[in-house]
Amino acid sequence: EKCGFALAGQTDRLVPADRKMYAIRDATATIEYIPLIVASIMSKKIAEGLNALIIDVKAGSGAFMQQLCDAENLAAELVKTGEKFKIKSRALISDMNRPLGKFIGNSVEVYEAVKILKGEKDRLTERTRELSLALTAHLIEIAGLAENYHAAMEICVNALDSGKAFELFLENVKLQGGEPQCVEKPETLLPENSLVIENEAPGFVTEINARKIGEAVCRMGGGRVKAEDRIDHSIGIELIADINDRVEKGDPLCRIFYSNRRPNEKDTEDIRNAFIIEEKAAESTDSLIMKVIS
């Protein structure tokens, strides 16, 4: 009520049955079953009492839906379910064949988001900025706060570039009992320990496999392998090389952040192998927003 928005995760009071059902899905290997995904996602949204909803559906090697057709089916079902409950709904299908931005992991992704909100530019965070603006502009449009998508995008860019978006986020963190110093000085979110992964052969980076990197982060403790696993929020990866960059032997590809356990040889090798190095640059890269479904 005071700052205009809230951030929330699932609680014991918000669709508590979903948490129990998710544990069963995990045990029975039915996480990727579309009707159960729809039930899980939309039960939360409907219970919140929304009147407009934008959903980011990922497609590619790092997503649940690795095939575009599967992502399209999921997006269509999510939108259809929202509309049945009189929620104006739209889904964007975005590329997850590569990591979205510069960072992968919990605290480091928050670091990236705050840096974008503060207006700091970096070529490797541009995709995160682009997708965030697109999702927000679509939401403003369907909520009736702008005449069209172009006008909505102008509102978003102005809010971001003027610093208003950052000021509101900082206010929200204070109101929700967070630690404002993490927003004012986001570098405090980065762990002290890090390890640089170096390239082994000269060439061009033609692919960065999001799934391999994500699985390595999970194994190191930055995600859950089982529902009861505890997450080490300090674990993360910073990309240094991007797709189509020319890299020589010994050049840094990425940096692994950690707090306690130093990454083992398998972790570092899997992350290095996620970077595909070839003699020629890639001819083209997938567009970030692959499709809009409404």
Side-chain angles (χ1 to χ4, degrees):
E1 292 178 353
K2 290 183 179 179
C3 70
F5 74 103
L7 300 174
Q10 186 179 8
T11 71
D12 291 335
R13 295 178 60 199
L14 180 65
V15 289
D18 178 59
R19 181 173 293 179
K20 296 179 180 180
M21 289 178 67
Y22 197 96
I24 296 171
R25 290 166 59 197
D26 196 21
T28 56
T30 52
I31 295 291
E32 299 179 9
Y33 185 54
I34 285 181
L36 294 178
I37 295 174
V38 173
S40 179
I41 292 173
M42 295 306 295
S43 61
K44 302 183 190 74
K45 311 311 176 195
I46 294 163
E48 291 166 17
L50 306 180
N51 55 26
L53 174 65
I54 292 294
I55 308 165
D56 180 22
V57 177
K58 301 294 187 186
S61 66
F64 272 140
M65 300 297 148
Q66 297 189 35
Q67 302 300 319
L68 179 58
C69 59
D70 293 331
E72 289 174 346
N73 289 337
L74 173 59
E77 291 301 320
L78 290 166
V79 169
K80 184 169 71 174
T81 303
E83 295 290 345
K84 281 185 177 181
F85 284 86
K86 305 207 178 336
I87 301 172
K88 293 179 183 178
S89 302
R90 185 176 295 174
L92 274 63
I93 300 177
S94 59
D95 173 38
M96 201 63 185
N97 281 308
R98 54 181 288 191
L100 173 61
K102 184 174 184 176
F103 293 90
I104 303 101
N106 292 280
S107 61
V108 294
E109 287 186 24
V110 175
Y111 172 80
E112 178 175 340
V114 173
K115 298 286 270 189
I116 292 170
L117 281 170
K118 293 184 81 169
E120 299 183 26
K121 300 290 180 72
D122 186 309
R123 68 188 182 105
L124 286 170
T125 65
E126 186 54 38
R127 282 162 55 90
T128 307
R129 184 180 190 274
E130 179 187 344
L131 181 59
S132 301
L133 285 169
L135 290 164
T136 311
H138 277 287
L139 183 58
I140 287 174
E141 182 191 6
I142 68 170
L145 300 174
E147 291 184 7
N148 51 48
Y149 178 76
H150 177 75
M153 179 60 77
E154 190 172 344
I155 292 171
C156 295
V157 172
N158 288 340
L160 185 57
D161 291 347
S162 68
K164 184 179 179 182
F166 174 74
E167 290 173 10
L168 277 173
F169 179 65
L170 179 58
E171 183 183 358
N172 173 272
V173 170
K174 293 175 181 177
L175 289 168
Q176 293 202 225
E179 299 179 6
Q181 64 268 27
C182 292
V183 180
E184 295 164 333
K185 296 181 178 180
E187 59 273 8
T188 60
L189 292 164
L190 299 179
E192 292 182 3
N193 299 322
S194 66
L195 172 67
V196 173
I197 302 297
E198 295 180 348
N199 181 42
E200 293 186 332
F204 291 90
V205 179
T206 58
E207 180 185 341
I208 304 174
N209 189 294
R211 180 167 290 268
K212 284 185 179 179
I213 291 180
E215 288 173 347
V217 168
C218 280
R219 278 199 314 272
M220 290 187 290
R224 290 187 180 92
V225 177
K226 295 176 291 185
E228 62 271 19
D229 289 348
R230 295 189 66 178
I231 292 176
D232 181 348
H233 294 90
S234 68
I235 299 293
I237 293 174
E238 175 189 7
L239 300 183
I240 299 173
D242 197 9
I243 289 179
N244 281 341
D245 282 357
R246 171 76 188 182
V247 288
E248 303 299 333
K249 183 177 180 179
D251 282 352
L253 296 174
C254 66
R255 178 180 288 105
I256 303 174
F257 290 100
Y258 64 98
S259 56
N260 300 315
R261 183 179 71 83
R262 183 181 174 89
N264 62 36
E265 188 175 340
K266 175 174 173 49
D267 295 332
T268 57
E269 194 62 25
D270 283 353
I271 291 169
R272 182 182 288 109
N273 290 338
F275 290 79
I276 306 302
I277 312 297
E278 297 182 334
E279 292 183 1
K280 295 182 179 179
E283 292 185 3
S284 63
T285 57
D286 293 331
S287 58
L288 176 56
I289 298 171
M290 306 164 84
K291 201 163 187 178
V292 177
I293 293 179
S294 57

